[in-house]
Amino acid sequence: MIEPCTPWSRRFLAAASLLALAAVPVRAADTVTQDRLLNADKEEGNWIHHHKSFAGHRFSTLTQINRDTVKNLKVAWTLQLGGIEGGGIWSHGGLEGTPIVENGFMYVTDGWGSVYKIDTRGGDGKLLWKMDPKTDKEWAGAVACCGVNNRGVALWGDFVVSHTLDGRLIATNKETGQVAWQRQVADPDKSETITGAPLIVKDMAISGVGGAEYGIRGWIAATDLKTEKEVWRTFTIPGKGEPGSETWKGPNDAAVSGGGSTWVTGTYDPATDLIIWGIGNPGPDWDNAYRPGDNLYTDSTLALDATTGKIKWHFQHTPNDPYDYDSVSENLLVDAGGRKLAIEADRNGFAYAVDRTNGQFVWATPFVKKVTWTRGINPDTGKPFEYDPSKDVQTYIAANTPSAQNKTADFCPGNMGGKNWPPTSYNPNLQLWYIPVIESCNRVTHEAMTTASLKPREFFTGGGPTNPFRITGSVTAIDVKTGKVAGKHETPFPLLGGMLSTPDLVFTGEPSGGVMALDAKTLDKLWEFRTGGGVNAPPMTFSVDGKQYIAILVGLGGAWDKWFIDSTPELKSIQPGSTLYVFAL
């Protein structure tokens, strides 16, 4: 366990700086309690969870902006943010966060984890304070696999709770912007980083970790926000003798470096007291012969007892994954067809529904246009048809699987996934689930790993990708009653930012700079605005003083412009930026 306030964290606590432009008193009613978080959807004009609610729907009941009025949507105001600096292997930071809004006050982060408080009342945006955590950019950026990113904050009590890329959890006073306390949760010395927003459950901040490409051992950890101490830490790669350890075979003790990172914010089911979280890829990514066995709990949906962190159930999507198909995506909690479901759009190109009370498989359906790594998912087991439990190393469709016998393989979807981290949304009225899709294939060259290949703070991947194929995208709607695709809106570029839904609209952004609204039923485009920057973040909506707004961060970062840009050459002209856009009628 990493104790609070290590010498390293004290060094940066002392260096934390504050820009205090104004002070706005915090009313007692503004204190964020567990009861408010449980009933977040009743606060129609606010957005106080990362995913809007514990269920993760990213759905708002606000209707002022609707199918008839959306054509009149205009820019209300913009605000320039910072955090564009590079560090480590990255030339610049990007924006992937979801703004949090409470009673007209907005909290956003830039890629380096600086927190901004903005007063949105009066129809414009006034910066009240900025908390700069003074992250060591070179140290953390050197092991940030996939960009300088921070996906947002959480609210608890009178504090704004956030993460930094170098692995800290910080509680900032909501009124003053001063850091109240911080503790080291992840360790970049081990190549651990944090990019996700915290999930607040029962006065605990739940943190995930990134770093599977560097041979870390993944975990999910809970910090008591009252005592500032760790409550539990559950490793996603079981230790020797623990349930699931038998799925790591061979002489390499591969579980030690097994990956299983948890870098996307999960969801919480109060009825069962379960935290439901997506688990990333095993390591090394493309040499599955190094790690014989199914490699639990990688590429899985995991349910944890919120109080103890104990694993209650799991469902694995791609055993012994040779494709880098994380299952790190958020799980939405929906009730449909008489079942209590957790639904997840997997990087392997299939959308899954499992019973969220016990992890039992319910259905799976492809949401991308092209899948070549498997013939499909067995409706009885939920496993790929080619999966052979008697084999320790899976080949699936051998011609499309990188291996020692097949050094170079093309497969679809590519390793960036049919969907990556950008969040989905769900309209409970229509029972339609909207997925931001990457319609992709790519080529991977296999490299055999040895124990000598595993070195601190160096990539441990078992090969690497190239991208000779054009990559596009779509918004794909799934009918959760049937588990079938209900519609698809094609886009010229992959969707890298995520979704927002309202009763009759769906909003998303494109890396080429467009923000658009689609009809929730037909997926016809009803409105579009060109921001002039790349969109790599999901939209959200809120209301203040009786007026509804749409907000989105604009500034292309992440992994795309470093690892995948050759598949979308037009995006090479998109310049780095860091801007908050807010729209209204």
Side-chain angles (χ1 to χ4, degrees):
M1 181 181 298
I2 301 173
E3 292 301 323
C5 208
T6 62
W8 179 88
S9 65
R10 284 196 297 270
R11 175 162 56 94
F12 282 97
L13 178 59
S17 66
L18 166 69
L19 173 63
L21 303 184
V24 179
V26 176
R27 302 182 299 273
D30 291 335
T31 298
V32 176
T33 63
Q34 176 71 0
D35 185 65
R36 283 187 66 193
L37 293 172
L38 286 168
N39 294 282
D41 279 336
K42 294 180 180 179
E43 300 186 24
E44 189 177 45
N46 287 338
W47 188 292
I48 61 173
H49 278 285
H50 177 64
H51 293 306
K52 182 64 167 68
S53 67
F54 275 133
H57 292 181
R58 289 183 174 258
F59 172 81
S60 172
T61 55
L62 295 174
T63 57
Q64 192 177 90
I65 300 168
N66 57 49
R67 184 185 292 112
D68 297 323
T69 63
V70 70
K71 62 180 179 291
N72 300 317
L73 202 59
K74 306 291 185 184
V75 174
W77 52 271
T78 63
L79 187 67
Q80 301 300 316
L81 306 178
I84 202 170
E85 306 88 355
I89 64 173
W90 301 97
S91 63
H92 65 277
L95 297 181
E96 294 188 355
T98 300
I100 294 292
V101 176
E102 181 194 29
N103 301 338
F105 296 102
M106 178 183 288
Y107 304 89
V108 300
T109 57
D110 63 30
W112 284 110
S114 290
V115 180
Y116 304 74
K117 180 176 182 177
I118 302 159
D119 188 348
T120 72
R121 301 170 302 174
D124 57 6
K126 296 183 177 66
L127 179 62
L128 301 180
W129 53 252
K130 173 185 175 181
M131 187 282 291
D132 182 351
K134 297 295 182 183
T135 299
D136 188 324
K137 295 179 173 60
E138 287 301 315
W139 188 47
V143 291
C145 151
C146 303
V148 173
N149 310 307
N150 185 289
R151 297 189 185 88
V153 307
L155 301 179
W156 173 83
D158 295 329
F159 297 99
V160 185
V161 185
S162 61
H163 288 128
T164 60
L165 191 64
D166 53 17
R168 288 171 286 155
L169 178 73
I170 300 180
T172 302
N173 184 286
K174 220 168 30 171
E175 179 181 358
T176 67
Q178 294 178 342
V179 173
W181 58 266
Q182 63 179 310
R183 68 179 298 262
Q184 195 72 33
V185 181
D187 185 358
D189 274 342
K190 299 178 180 178
S191 305
E192 295 178 345
T193 56
I194 302 181
T195 56
L199 175 69
I200 307 299
V201 177
K202 299 194 296 187
D203 298 328
M204 298 183 296
I206 314 300
S207 304
V209 66
E213 280 65 40
Y214 293 87
I216 72 159
R217 183 188 181 200
W219 46 259
I220 303 169
T223 298
D224 187 316
L225 293 167
K226 293 180 178 179
T227 67
E228 306 168 24
K229 296 183 181 297
E230 189 161 292
V231 181
W232 51 259
R233 182 174 296 231
T234 299
F235 287 95
T236 60
I237 309 299
K240 290 182 178 179
E242 295 178 351
S245 61
E246 72 282 357
T247 67
W248 296 84
K249 303 180 181 181
N252 293 325
D253 195 16
V256 173
S257 54
S261 49
T262 53
W263 47 278
V264 172
T265 306
T267 48
Y268 171 64
D269 184 6
T272 57
D273 197 32
L274 292 178
I275 292 168
I276 300 178
W277 212 284
I279 312 302
N281 61 281
D285 303 46
W286 296 292
D287 183 14
N288 62 345
Y290 180 90
R291 43 176 170 81
D294 285 357
N295 307 145
L296 290 175
Y297 294 96
T298 65
D299 287 18
S300 298
T301 294
L302 208 60
L304 309 179
D305 182 288
T307 302
T308 66
K310 182 179 180 181
I311 297 173
K312 305 299 287 188
W313 58 256
H314 75 276
F315 179 81
Q316 189 176 42
H317 305 94
T318 315
N320 191 233
D321 171 19
Y323 307 106
D324 191 22
Y325 283 156
D326 293 48
S327 294
V328 77
S329 290
E330 74 290 342
N331 282 259
L332 283 67
L333 312 183
V334 306
D335 297 340
R339 302 288 294 267
K340 293 184 178 299
L341 304 177
I343 56 176
E344 185 255 3
D346 202 78
R347 272 170 67 161
N348 70 14
F350 290 88
Y352 291 83
V354 300
D355 187 316
R356 68 175 182 266
T357 67
N358 56 22
Q360 181 181 353
F361 174 74
V362 178
W363 53 255
T365 193
F367 62 85
V368 295
K369 293 187 294 185
K370 191 172 184 180
V371 175
T372 65
W373 67 274
T374 178
R375 291 183 292 113
I377 302 301
N378 187 321
D380 297 321
T381 66
K383 303 300 183 188
F385 278 118
E386 297 81 6
Y387 170 67
D388 185 345
S390 69
K391 293 182 178 179
D392 290 336
V393 178
Q394 304 294 326
T395 55
Y396 297 106
I397 293 181
N400 299 327
T401 303
S403 66
Q405 295 74 37
N406 192 35
K407 286 289 188 180
T408 301
D410 298 341
F411 53 88
C412 315
N415 76 291
M416 69 294 296
K419 172 196 171 295
N420 207 277
W421 72 268
T424 62
S425 68
Y426 173 68
N427 185 321
N429 302 334
L430 302 176
Q431 293 192 294
L432 291 177
W433 176 30
Y434 305 100
I435 302 173
V437 178
I438 302 171
E439 305 280 6
S440 68
C441 304
N442 75 327
R443 179 169 295 159
V444 164
T445 300
H446 171 274
E447 178 185 355
M449 293 286 97
T450 66
T451 53
S453 306
L454 182 62
K455 300 175 183 178
R457 291 174 62 86
E458 292 188 13
F459 278 118
F460 182 64
T461 58
T466 55
N467 299 283
F469 309 108
R470 176 75 190 185
I471 297 179
T472 63
S474 70
V475 175
T476 297
I478 304 286
D479 184 333
V480 298
K481 300 187 302 295
T482 64
K484 304 299 182 184
V485 172
K488 192 177 277 281
H489 176 91
E490 305 280 356
T491 58
F493 298 105
L495 292 189
L496 307 180
M499 312 300 301
L500 161 70
S501 55
T502 64
D504 58 4
L505 295 172
V506 181
F507 291 87
T508 194
E510 297 182 276
S512 55
V515 179
M516 60 182 174
L518 309 179
D519 185 291
K521 291 182 179 178
T522 67
L523 299 186
D524 293 333
K525 186 187 295 185
L526 303 179
W527 170 84
E528 185 177 27
F529 178 84
R530 308 300 300 181
T531 65
V535 178
N536 212 167
M540 56 81 68
T541 187
F542 66 97
S543 67
V544 60
D545 300 328
K547 191 167 188 175
Q548 183 183 358
Y549 297 87
I550 305 292
I552 192 168
L553 294 169
V554 177
L556 189 63
W560 199 268
D561 59 353
K562 188 176 185 69
W563 305 127
F564 306 114
I565 194 67
D566 288 344
S567 294
T568 51
E570 298 89 342
L571 298 182
K572 292 180 179 179
S573 63
I574 300 295
Q575 298 301 300
S578 185
T579 307
L580 169 67
Y581 274 81
V582 178
F583 302 90
L585 297 174

